[in-house]
Amino acid sequence: MTSSPPLRRTRGTGWLAAAAAAAGVVLVAVASLALGSDHLALAAVFERLLHPREDVGAIVWGSRVPRTVLGALVGACLGIAGAVMQGQTRNPLADPGLFGVSAGASLAVVVGVYTLHTTSPTLILVLALVGAIGASMLVFAVAALGRGLASPVPLAIAGTAISALFAAVTSFLVLSDQTTLAAYRVWVVGSLSGRRLDDLGVVLAFVALGLVLAIANIRALDSLSLGMEVARGLGESLLRARLIGLGTITLLTAASVAVTGPIGFVGLTAPHIARRMVGGRHARLVPMSAVVGAVVLLASDVIGRMIGGRAEVSVGVVLSVVGGIAFVAIVRHGRMAAL
Amino acid sequence: MIAQLDARTGSRRRRGSRTATVTIAAAIAMLAAVVLGVAIGSTWLPLGDVVRALLGIADRTQEFILLTFRLPRVVCAVLVGACLGLAGALTQTFSRNPLATPDILGVTSGAAVGAVATIVIGGGTYAVGSSLLGFGIPAVATVFGLATAAFVYGLSWRGGVDSYRLILTGIGVTATLTGLTSYLLLQAQITQAAAAAHWLTGSLSGVSWTSVWPVLVVLVVVTPIAAAQSSALEVSGLGDDLSVGLGVALHRHRLIVIACAVVLTSAAVSASGPVDFVAFVTPQLAARLARRGRPPLAASALLGASLVVVADLVGRAALPWEVPVGIVTAIVGAPYLLWLISRHRSQERTS
């Protein structure tokens, strides 16, 4: 029910928001390093961080550092992708999962496990990446054959249709083979457990390119937020802006899905929270969405580790349960109209 | 575009007769689908043999196959399809959104949590499990589906229900429930996870007469109620303000329509699991064939029934292994969505 914040507030509190965000990142990163099913003293964690040794060092460097780094990276990617997507479509519901990314990655993983009978993490990572990018290319191609990429509605419909088609084939393969089902049900919930720093190498190039495109897209996003007609009047090439935006979203979400499996709600909520902190200008909104995304993802991962004990609850499950409840609360309090 | 104009300017009687023609054609299609569905299978049972078996003068094997396997399955497909088609027509009309399906109220995701929990938790001990699964899954799925819909409706109530808020609330609740379902799948033993995954795709294999009766009762009770709302639906399609002005008690009408859609969907899902796209495609198809803005109820139900019977037939007879009906309908439904996009373009070109 709150009215939208006055403009000057966003200008005055810019530094405050940045400081709060930095503090948030440090806090969740420390929590992510310190908390887990093996209870380690904070001092011990930091000592092993600087002087890796066996025993505790293995937990810190082998498990907690990778999941903290990867969690922050994936959260940031999803946050940026969400901000770009919401700027592109001006639709508060825009979620990066819309373009068939998750369904394409799922299908590729399932086909790979089904035909090659292997569940090697690196193979799954590469398959998911290829599947995600392939599926969104297909979605873009189908939408381009229809009304074109300029309008978001055909894109969303094409995404839904291709996702449904892929999901049908995925469930058929999963039903025909229990080994595939076993691998699939672990992958599809979205988890940071057992990820290694090496995973970073595979996706880093995609993330970097995605970031470059996101930065290139910032000015156009500001124009687009004034409406398509105004943007055209300001001399933006709509098609170019759209293509760069789609490229950003695809690369960043594909890299995220490849590392963790599909994780919802970060791309949806991080930009909303960031917008309340720094306002709607994309030069601030996009970086802040990255920070908020990282904080949200790491915090959810820590929560999942704490409530599950040895059998931790994966971050994807935490996010969809908590995120769904938070989303309903926001809708109920009527803030959706202000977004 | 021309078709829409035509429908608008055309006299009411002409539209009415066209709807009647479409309804009759859909009924014939459904009968043909049923005859084929009963005939085709591991044993060929043509119409003559079926009639003889029903009269009790065929040989025992044929009678056994017909009454135990073929007939309950085809009848169940008819009922599930009719429920989904009708529920889809009601939802698309009241939300004035051709892309809306009954799933927006969270019925399916609620039923899924209930069914998967029953399989995973109840299936643990074999003896208890098997008796629980036969009766328990449909019962629990129904309860959870209805409870979820009531919950979503209640959550989006703020001195009235606005369909945008209803859809958003449904999305949030669905996300939470889907998270719970995948958590349950992850905790289950692999055989139970497989059973749950099978249920989640929507399948008619293993239905018996016990699964048929509840759906039949629901359809028989709900159809007249929905039909009684038909004229109010026609008016409410004009918009909230106008229909209040024309004397429609909007909230009560909307609640009845939503409740009908929810109960129908819930009955269908409890019998077969979620069968995708039927509730979305068949009302649209019916509306297009009848050249009307809103989907005609009877034709939607009949087309829904034909679609599910044929999809199930294709799923069990076209390939050497069985494909669940939910997969077949998704493979048919997704291209239909894509076709809608391409039509958009050709319309823009001509206009």
Side-chain angles (χ1 to χ4, degrees):
Chain A
M1 278 281 110
T2 49
S3 57
S4 59
L7 273 177
R8 61 181 163 75
R9 212 185 87 190
T10 65
R11 198 176 300 160
T13 54
W15 286 108
L16 202 63
V25 172
V26 172
L27 200 68
V28 289
V30 169
S32 172
L33 289 171
L35 302 172
S37 52
D38 294 293
H39 296 283
L40 304 179
L42 202 55
V45 170
F46 282 104
E47 210 227 307
R48 297 312 190 283
L49 212 50
L50 300 174
H51 312 285
R53 258 184 285 150
E54 309 243 319
D55 59 14
V56 178
I59 297 174
V60 174
W61 273 101
S63 153
R64 294 205 189 152
V65 170
R67 71 191 294 169
T68 306
V69 171
L70 290 173
L73 182 81
V74 167
C77 286
L78 291 174
I80 296 175
V84 171
M85 183 133 179
Q86 288 176 12
Q88 286 274 351
T89 61
R90 302 174 66 211
N91 175 356
L93 275 178
D95 189 84
L98 278 179
F99 293 157
V101 168
S102 303
S106 301
L107 179 61
V109 166
V110 164
V111 168
V113 175
Y114 187 83
T115 52
L116 303 174
H117 304 289
T118 159
T119 52
S120 122
T122 316
L123 180 77
I124 288 186
L125 180 77
V126 172
L127 283 171
L129 193 62
V130 172
I133 292 179
S136 39
M137 291 296 142
L138 186 60
V139 168
F140 300 153
V142 167
L145 285 178
R147 199 155 59 169
L149 296 169
S151 153
V153 176
L155 261 180
I157 296 180
T160 313
I162 302 274
S163 295
L165 208 54
F166 282 10
V169 181
T170 303
S171 39
F172 177 70
L173 291 177
V174 162
L175 285 179
S176 354
D177 179 34
Q178 290 202 345
T179 325
T180 312
L181 173 63
Y184 174 70
R185 67 173 176 163
V186 174
W187 181 83
V188 80
V189 293
S191 165
L192 279 167
S193 116
R195 271 34 175 201
R196 300 156 309 141
L197 276 180
D198 302 355
D199 295 353
L200 209 55
V202 183
V203 297
L204 209 54
F206 295 88
V207 173
L209 186 57
L211 287 179
V212 170
L213 289 181
I215 294 167
N217 206 211
I218 281 177
R219 204 175 59 95
L221 288 176
D222 279 336
S223 314
L224 277 174
S225 66
L226 302 171
M228 292 241 233
E229 295 307 315
V230 181
R232 199 176 285 134
L234 288 171
E236 288 298 339
S237 155
L238 285 186
L239 185 63
R240 211 191 69 175
R242 182 75 71 197
L243 287 178
I244 293 178
L246 293 181
T248 313
I249 297 162
T250 305
L251 289 168
L252 293 179
T253 48
S256 311
V257 168
V259 172
T260 56
I263 290 185
F265 274 107
V266 179
L268 191 64
T269 50
H272 288 323
I273 301 174
R275 195 171 291 117
R276 302 188 75 78
M277 293 170 74
V278 297
R281 277 188 48 212
H282 286 87
R284 287 177 177 177
L285 178 62
V286 171
M288 188 52 91
S289 302
V291 175
V292 173
V295 171
V296 167
L297 198 98
L298 282 180
S300 311
D301 186 43
V302 172
I303 292 172
R305 270 186 256 169
M306 300 315 290
I307 56 179
R310 283 268 164 203
E312 58 174 66
V313 180
S314 36
V315 55
V317 172
V318 174
L319 267 169
S320 51
V321 172
V322 177
I325 295 170
F327 185 77
V328 170
I330 293 172
V331 173
R332 240 191 101 63
H333 287 95
R335 296 212 184 108
M336 222 56 194
L339 296 172
Chain B
M1 209 56 203
I2 292 166
Q4 281 169 1
L5 271 181
D6 208 27
R8 251 170 242 159
T9 49
S11 71
R12 203 189 159 83
R13 220 191 55 196
R14 230 179 72 208
R15 257 192 304 165
S17 74
R18 188 165 173 100
T19 307
T21 317
V22 170
T23 309
I24 293 167
I28 294 170
M30 188 194 81
L31 286 177
V34 167
V35 170
L36 279 179
V38 172
I40 298 174
S42 51
T43 317
W44 171 247
L45 283 179
L47 196 55
D49 288 354
V50 172
V51 173
R52 248 173 285 139
L54 287 177
L55 295 173
I57 50 174
D59 75 278
R60 297 297 285 272
T61 342
Q62 283 187 337
E63 194 183 317
F64 180 75
I65 293 175
L66 180 74
L67 293 181
T68 329
F69 299 111
R70 217 57 77 67
L71 212 50
R73 186 163 181 161
V74 171
V75 171
C76 197
V78 166
L79 295 174
V80 165
C83 282
L84 290 175
L86 193 53
L90 292 172
T91 319
Q92 287 176 13
T93 312
F94 99 81
S95 66
R96 289 197 295 278
N97 179 352
L99 296 178
T101 64
D103 291 348
I104 58 173
L105 286 155
V107 185
T108 312
S109 57
V113 171
V116 171
T118 314
I119 295 170
V120 170
I121 298 165
T125 43
Y126 191 71
V128 182
S130 56
S131 63
L132 202 66
L133 296 185
F135 172 75
I137 294 176
V140 176
T142 310
V143 171
F144 271 67
L146 293 176
T148 307
F151 187 61
V152 168
Y153 193 83
L155 272 179
S156 46
W157 179 273
R158 277 181 49 164
V161 160
D162 141 278
S163 62
Y164 185 57
R165 192 163 58 234
L166 195 67
I167 290 172
L168 291 179
T169 310
I171 289 175
V173 171
T174 298
T176 299
L177 294 175
T178 310
L180 288 176
T181 305
S182 40
Y183 179 73
L184 285 169
L185 275 179
L186 203 54
Q187 297 304 310
Q189 288 167 17
I190 191 72
T191 43
Q192 286 154 15
H198 193 250
W199 188 90
L200 285 172
T201 44
S203 164
L204 286 165
S205 68
V207 298
S208 61
W209 290 111
T210 11
S211 3
V212 168
W213 301 126
V215 194
L216 183 64
V217 170
V218 166
L219 196 62
V220 166
V221 172
V222 172
T223 306
I225 303 177
Q229 294 295 315
S230 188
S231 62
L233 272 174
E234 191 93 60
V235 177
S236 73
L238 299 172
D240 287 4
D241 294 341
L242 204 55
S243 34
V244 171
L246 287 171
V248 174
L250 200 65
H251 286 310
R252 200 181 57 127
H253 156 70
R254 193 170 282 169
L255 182 61
I256 294 175
V257 170
I258 294 177
C260 287
V262 164
V263 171
L264 288 168
T265 310
S266 174
V269 171
S270 71
S272 63
V275 181
D276 268 350
F277 277 104
V278 179
F280 163 72
V281 169
T282 47
Q284 288 216 357
L285 209 57
R288 250 170 226 287
L289 291 175
R291 293 198 187 148
R292 284 169 49 144
R294 75 175 187 86
L297 298 183
S300 303
L302 291 167
L303 281 176
S306 326
L307 176 59
V308 174
V309 173
V310 172
D312 184 48
L313 178 62
V314 168
R316 65 189 156 88
L319 293 171
W321 56 86
E322 180 164 330
V323 181
V325 59
I327 292 181
V328 179
T329 52
I331 286 175
V332 177
Y336 175 78
L337 247 185
L338 295 178
W339 176 76
L340 275 186
I341 309 175
S342 70
R343 244 183 78 87
H344 250 295
R345 189 191 192 190
S346 54
Q347 265 182 9
E348 258 181 20
R349 269 200 195 140
T350 49
S351 62

